[in-house]
């Protein structure tokens, strides 16, 4: 039970400390991020203790946050296993082998962005798109000797377009449901901020793609890699079945976790059937500790590029990311359980004077929640519920709110290194979130494009006073 109401200064201090410790400790000094977040959580805990907040309340809030994140954590573990089995059977190496021969290195960034955009819009999932096409794009970059961070950023920008715009996406359905808008009017309304973001991505990835290609391996090195992959694995068109199964499951809305697990099991038996010298024991080890090229019994000297490409996956490979997520959930639970997060959000709302100010405040609130809790869902749910009636009182159509929720919370999920989305993407692609962040053009630019659009009055839709009152009455009845 909380006895003292926190002030705004008391409430914002833990968030400020977290920002400072992460920036100095992780970015400047290169320390692990987990103790930096944990330090901020300890400070937030002392602040809650000063406010006489009972430990049982904070403990329940922390466990509640971890419980909410548990579904994502299980998926991350299962993806780690799946990547191990895809290396085991040869799916990823085969996609890399084909991709290297098709993709023009000068347009690698652009290709990664466009292909991932198409797949994500069709499937409605950034996570599934990254785990399939995203992994292949990173593998192709490995093979070509290109820097991985730009390719990861371009691929993820494409993945999140579908997460934002596809009617199959969970967040695309959640945002209008919370704000009171209809799904397809919400999607159409997001074009005001999405189209400029896509254009910006096309320009950036075209311009910088050529510079990235200058660092690629020589044609001789690439051919050696392709030849060795062909020597190590037996190629077969059936190796494309695992990603096709996963994509089909996304389109048909099969449960995510069982789909990934069954795809992993299928991939394991596919490897036993197609590859030589493999045993089921190797496949089981690959799901836990990751795949090693030595399991295939290759007798020649393995190229470093091949070893780096193939030796990956397994549940153990994501343990560091799980630690980050748990530390973030501890901080978020203390902030919410003590009431400090609510004070920060309400303080933002009290300074709103204009329609543009309300939209920008919503964007900032979503970012604050994602920053504090590491959860895109909370970044949609809490500001959506908090600001819904305020939008109606200003005669703003609910789709203005739903668009703001997507422009910030959905896309910041991968731009904040300790958020669940960024942790997942880092685990799947094998690239640090701090490294791909500068190349995450669509996600990072979205919140600024949304703010500029609001200031210029672009895409702000009003409703009549009677319509606003009708919607307010319906909201109060609910």
């Amino acid at each position: 039970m909380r006895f003292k109401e926190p002030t705004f200064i008391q409430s914002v201090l833990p968030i400020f400390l977290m920002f400072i410790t992460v920036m100095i400790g992780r970015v400047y000094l290169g320390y692990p991020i987990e103790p930096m977040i944990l330090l901020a959580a300890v400070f937030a805990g002392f602040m809650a203790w000063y406010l006489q907040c009972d430990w049982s309340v904070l403990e329940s809030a922390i466990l509640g946050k971890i419980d909410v994140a548990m579904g994502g954590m299980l998926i991350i573990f299962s993806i780690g296993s799946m990547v191990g089995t895809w290396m085991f059977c040869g799916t990823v190496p085969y996609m890399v082998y084909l991709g290297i021969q098709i993709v023009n290195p000068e347009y690698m960034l652009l290709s990664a962005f466009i292909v991932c955009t198409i797949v994500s819009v069709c499937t409605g999932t950034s996570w599934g798109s990254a785990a399939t096409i995203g992994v292949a794009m990173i593998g192709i970059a490995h093979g070509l000797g290109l820097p991985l961070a730009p390719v990861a950023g371009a691929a993820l920008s494409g993945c999140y377009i579908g997460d934002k715009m596809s009617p199959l996406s969970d967040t695309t359905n959640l945002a209008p449901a919370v704000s009171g808008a209809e799904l397809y009017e919400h999607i159409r309304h997001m074009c005001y901020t999405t189209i400029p973001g896509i254009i910006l991505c096309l320009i950036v990835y075209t311009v910088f793609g050529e510079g990235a290609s200058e660092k690629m391996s020589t044609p001789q090195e690439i051919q050696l890699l392709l030849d060795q992959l062909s020597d190590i694995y037996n190629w077969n068109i059936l190796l494309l079945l695992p990603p096709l199964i996963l994509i089909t499951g996304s389109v048909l809305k099969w449960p995510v976790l069982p789909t990934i697990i069954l795809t992993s099991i299928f991939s394991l038996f596919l490897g036993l059937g197609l590859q030589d010298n493999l045993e089921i024991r190797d496949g089981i080890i690959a799901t836990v500790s990751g795949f090693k090229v030595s399991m295939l019994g290759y007798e020649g000297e393995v190229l470093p590029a091949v070893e780096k490409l193939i030796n990956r996956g397994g549940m153990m490979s994501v343990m560091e990311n799980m630690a980050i997520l748990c530390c973030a959930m501890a901080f978020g639970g203390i902030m919410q359980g003590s009431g400090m997060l609510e004070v920060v959000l309400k303080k933002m709302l009290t300074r709103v004077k204009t329609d543009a100010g309300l939209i920008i405040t919503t964007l900032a609130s979503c970012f604050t929640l994602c920053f504090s809790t590491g959860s895109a869902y909370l970044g949609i749910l809490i500001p959506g519920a908090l600001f819904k009636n305020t939008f109606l009182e200003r005669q703003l159509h609910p789709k203005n709110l739903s668009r703001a929720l997507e422009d910030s919370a959905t896309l910041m999920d991968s731009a904040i290194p300790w958020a669940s989305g960024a942790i997942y993407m880092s685990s799947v692609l094998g690239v640090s979130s701090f490294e791909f962040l500068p190349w995450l053009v669509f996600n990072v630019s979205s919140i600024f494009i949304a703010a500029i659009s609001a200031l210029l009055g672009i895409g702000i839709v009003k409703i009549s006073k009677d319509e606003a009152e009708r919607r307010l009455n319906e909201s109060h009845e609910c």
Side-chain angles (χ1 to χ4, degrees):
M1 182 176 180
R2 191 172 71 245
F3 296 96
K4 293 176 66 175
E5 189 72 25
T7 66
F8 176 72
I9 297 297
Q10 291 169 338
S11 301
V12 82
L13 270 177
I15 297 176
F16 178 74
L17 179 67
M18 184 175 183
F19 178 79
I20 294 298
T21 53
V22 169
M23 289 301 104
I24 295 177
R26 179 62 179 87
V27 178
Y28 182 70
L29 298 176
Y31 293 162
I33 191 173
E34 299 94 324
M36 301 299 102
I37 300 175
L38 201 57
L39 179 62
V42 170
F43 181 81
F46 275 115
M47 186 63 74
W49 172 76
Y50 174 77
L51 296 169
Q52 299 177 1
C53 185
D54 192 78
W55 167 246
S56 61
V57 174
L58 299 180
E59 186 179 37
S60 297
I62 293 170
L63 293 176
K65 286 285 180 295
I66 293 176
D67 184 53
V68 169
M70 186 56 67
M73 294 169 72
L74 291 175
I75 291 174
I76 293 173
F77 273 119
S78 64
I79 286 287
S81 293
M82 188 186 72
V83 171
T85 60
W86 282 15
M87 295 299 175
F88 178 82
C89 70
T91 288
V92 172
Y94 187 50
M95 289 193 290
V96 171
Y97 180 83
L98 296 176
I100 287 176
Q101 299 174 81
I102 296 172
V103 174
N104 186 330
E106 291 186 9
Y107 301 104
M108 182 66 209
L109 302 187
L110 192 61
S111 299
F113 172 69
I114 292 174
V115 172
C116 289
T117 296
I118 294 171
V119 172
S120 67
V121 169
C122 292
T123 62
T125 167
S126 58
W127 286 32
S129 301
T132 52
I133 304 303
V135 168
M137 290 298 168
I138 288 296
I140 294 170
H142 263 302
L144 293 172
L146 297 174
L148 299 186
V151 178
L156 293 181
S157 287
C159 289
Y160 272 89
I161 289 177
D163 205 351
K164 181 185 179 185
M165 296 295 288
S166 174
L168 299 174
S169 168
D170 52 358
T171 56
T172 307
N173 284 272
L174 181 62
V178 170
S179 61
E182 295 179 0
L183 174 61
Y184 285 99
E185 69 178 2
H186 163 65
I187 292 174
R188 288 192 296 270
H189 195 57
M190 286 195 294
C191 289
Y192 284 107
T193 53
T194 302
I195 292 175
I198 292 175
I199 293 172
L200 179 62
C201 286
L202 293 173
I203 293 172
V204 171
Y205 297 140
T206 299
V207 171
F208 287 94
E210 186 174 350
S213 66
E214 293 176 357
K215 303 176 183 178
M216 68 177 287
S217 303
T218 65
Q220 293 84 355
E221 291 173 329
I222 295 171
Q223 190 58 51
L224 282 173
L225 180 137
L226 293 176
D227 291 342
Q228 188 162 88
L229 286 177
S230 297
D231 291 339
I232 293 174
Y233 287 99
N234 296 322
W235 298 140
N236 192 302
I237 194 68
L238 294 177
L239 292 173
L240 296 179
L241 281 177
L244 287 177
I245 292 172
L246 200 61
I247 291 173
T248 300
S250 299
V251 173
L252 298 180
K253 289 295 181 180
W254 295 346
V256 176
L257 192 59
T259 302
I260 295 172
I261 293 173
L262 290 175
T263 302
S264 301
I265 295 172
F266 175 80
S267 301
L268 191 153
F269 284 101
L270 187 65
L272 293 174
L274 295 180
Q275 307 303 337
D276 301 327
N277 303 317
L278 287 178
E279 299 178 358
I280 193 167
R281 179 177 180 274
D282 297 323
I284 293 173
I285 291 174
T287 65
V288 179
S289 305
F291 182 72
K292 301 292 185 292
V293 68
S294 58
M295 294 177 180
L296 287 160
Y298 182 69
E299 296 179 355
E301 183 179 352
V302 181
L303 295 171
V306 172
E307 193 171 28
K308 189 175 181 181
L309 171 64
I310 295 176
N311 290 359
R312 54 182 305 208
M315 286 186 285
M316 299 305 295
S317 66
V318 302
M319 290 302 295
E320 180 180 352
N321 296 309
M322 293 301 97
I324 296 173
L325 190 57
C326 287
C327 291
M329 292 303 103
F331 178 81
I334 293 171
M335 288 296 296
Q336 190 166 3
S338 63
M340 289 187 282
L341 194 57
E342 184 180 358
V343 169
V344 173
L345 296 180
K346 287 185 176 179
K347 185 66 174 180
M348 290 180 174
L349 193 57
T350 58
R351 297 183 177 276
V352 172
K353 303 296 180 184
T354 64
D355 293 342
L358 179 58
I359 292 173
I360 292 172
T361 300
T362 303
L363 297 170
S365 299
C366 293
F367 177 82
T368 301
L369 267 160
C370 289
F371 186 92
S372 303
T373 66
S375 171
Y377 292 106
L378 291 178
I380 291 175
L381 290 169
I382 295 177
L386 188 63
F387 297 154
K388 180 179 179 180
N389 288 347
T390 306
F391 270 74
L392 293 175
E393 288 166 1
R394 299 191 69 90
Q395 294 179 231
L396 288 169
H397 195 287
K399 62 186 178 183
N400 295 293
L401 172 58
S402 63
R403 185 183 71 186
L405 298 177
E406 289 263 59
D407 284 335
S408 48
T410 296
L411 299 182
M412 288 299 103
D413 188 43
S414 63
I416 296 172
W418 51 89
S420 56
I423 290 171
Y424 171 84
M425 297 307 175
S426 178
S427 301
V428 169
L429 302 183
V431 181
S432 167
S433 54
F434 284 96
E435 293 178 6
F436 66 62
L437 177 59
W439 296 96
L440 209 59
V441 177
F442 183 76
N443 302 56
V444 173
S445 67
S446 177
I447 196 166
F448 296 103
I449 291 173
I452 293 170
S453 298
L455 290 171
L456 296 177
I458 299 173
I460 296 181
V461 179
K462 305 282 284 191
I463 56 177
S464 66
K465 184 177 181 181
D466 291 341
E467 175 68 8
E469 289 179 352
R470 182 186 69 79
R471 289 177 179 266
L472 273 170
N473 290 333
E474 290 178 355
S475 177
H476 290 316
E477 288 175 3
C478 293

